[in-house]
Amino acid sequence: MDWLGIGVLIIGIAFMVFVIMLIKPLNKLSGVFLSLKSTTDALPQQVTDITTEAKDTLSTGRETIQQLNNQMSELSPLFAIIGNVGETTNKLSSSMVDITKEMKENTEEGSTFIERNNLEGLYGAITLGYYVLQRKNPQQ
């Protein structure tokens, strides 16, 4: 055998040792690829399921919003009525305040008239008589 044959034999043995050393990592790599394949095989069905659930959720949300809009449109007249009642109550209370101010001014004028003419005793007697009559005649 010449040197060329010995060199080829050494390269062959080294290559065979290299292949034997790579058998275990290559088997593990093939296991990883098999696991990846089983994971990716289920992926299209999972995407389909997620898409279906998302469509159902969006549909339910759209129906809920439509129901809410319908209920709000039914409540809008009620809110308008409540607003009108509030405005009317405000006007009524303003009128009552005006009447109360006017009565206060009128009674102040009467009080000054009574004090000026020294009629407090007469006014008290008339008031007492009025209340006594009211107690005797409760139906009025």
Side-chain angles (χ1 to χ4, degrees), residues 8-22:
V8 171
L9 183 63
I10 291 175
I11 291 174
I13 291 173
F15 187 70
M16 189 170 78
V17 169
F18 180 70
V19 169
I20 290 173
M21 288 176 57
L22 285 179

Side-chain angles (χ1 to χ4, degrees), residues 1 29 33 45 50 58 63 81-82 85-86 90 99-100 103 115-117 119 121 123-124:
M1 252 204 289
L29 184 62
F33 283 140
Q45 183 60 38
I50 290 172
L58 290 174
E63 289 173 4
I81 290 170
I82 291 172
V85 168
N90 188 13
I99 291 170
T100 305
M103 288 181 68
E115 288 174 8
R116 192 175 42 216
N117 294 320
L119 298 174
Y123 180 69

